Amino acid sequence: MTKLNWGMIGGGEGSQIGPAHRLGALADGRFALAAGALDHRPEEGRAYAQRLGIAEDRAYGDWTEMLAGEKGRDDRIDLVTVATPNATHFEITKAFLEAGFNVLCEKPMTLTVEEGEEIVRVARKAGRICAVNYCYSAYPMVRQARAMVRAGELGRVRLVVTNFSHGHHGDAGDADNPRVRWRYDPKMAGVSGQFADCGIHALHMASFVCDDEVERLSADFASTIPSRELEDDAMVNFRLAGGTVGRLWTSSVAIGRQHGFDIQIFGETGGLRWMSEQPNQLLYTPVGGRTQIIEKGEAGLHAEAQRLSRVSIAHPEGFPLAVANIYCDLADAISGEARDGLPDAEAGVRSMAAVHQAVASARDNGAWVDARPPMFR
Ligand code: NAI
């Protein structure tokens, strides 16, 4: 199999998410790291790219140089990952799509709903893939949960409850640390803090597993550390289009919780629970029965969960392999094989609309609002 050429923007040395992308993209031999503009400091970015094995002429100082350089090549990159800070996602993603490149953009895809809708339109017009890195949706046991819901194994889903709550910004004495402070400063982070950062993963997960879209929501936002302008805790009630009741709690001051992402799905004939810190197990309870543990890699899983299980049963698979599943689906999609679970720009703009509408709801004492972007109303 010929490897696809992959490029990366952001994710430089010491970044949080860069290593997960490199481990994920390169895990299956489907991509080769061919180009990069990895750092906001051009010289550091060029040097690091070369240390990662990128040829000197494709170790770019910034993304505009990379766009110009890659456009003219016969062996141009087949996919570019945008893993820069949020405020830059829109212009970089748009420019690469318009030039005919496929893009994997980090979440949140944009800062505004209008920008998100523009990305959907540009991707459609260019006929290129624009995926968004909702990587938790690519864990095998999350795909198993979705397949069970789709197959009617829980009956109609009455209720979905999801949390993404950690305690890593719970120390008021550390609130002025520049690496923490920007997240709650609207000039740097946009209209929302914790909900836009972590809550949208949970909201996407609820919609993904239930295979239904978020239609309405009501939000309560709190800045529990008073110096913070944006929320560090949020409770969001929502409804999916098919009537499923949704509850979401997201927090960064929940001291004692580490990653803190889990989801429970309650149907008429059974319930499911998945926790990101034990990602290889899915708990299933049939109505009136005992709780069972469904293990990644066991016999009898749905095909989608089986396809994305890499190593044999009981060997842990973690976050970088969930990211690798996104890259596998992208490699298939680029090669013309449609992949149903790949989170796309439409999912990206739905999240942005939910963020902005949650902010409006919270300012209006939790009034129920339409959560959908105007283009999907
Ligand atoms: P970070 O601050 O740790 O790293 C950002 C990197 O981008 C740095 O290497 C920096 O030099 C580089 N950079 C900044 N501006 C640039 C530019 N204009 N051109 C090229 N490189 C540039 O940030 P982190 O935490 O890695 O986050 C990056 C993105 O990934 C954010 O949008 C964040 O929301 C997202 N993220 C997603 C996660 C997920 O689970 N999907 C988890 C963590 C972050």
Side-chain angles (χ1 to χ4, degrees), residues 2 55 60 68 85 100 123 132 135 229 238 261 311 322 340 352 376:
T2 317
Y60 298 101
V132 180
C135 45
E229 216 173 308
F238 58 96
F261 187 12
V311 289
D340 169 49
M352 293 327 300
F376 297 133

Side-chain angles (χ1 to χ4, degrees), residues 9-18 21 37-41 61-63 82-86 88-89 92 106-108 133-136 179 183 197 201 319:
I9 301 170
E13 192 161 27
S15 65
Q16 188 188 175
I17 199 67
H21 280 282
L38 303 178
D39 204 290
H40 66 285
R41 301 157 303 176
D62 68 50
W63 68 267
V82 180
T84 49
N86 305 353
T88 61
H89 293 176
I92 303 176
E106 262 305 343
K107 47 57 59 177
N133 193 30
Y134 289 117
C135 45
Y136 302 99
R179 291 204 68 171
R183 297 167 185 277
D197 191 33
H201 274 300
F319 185 70

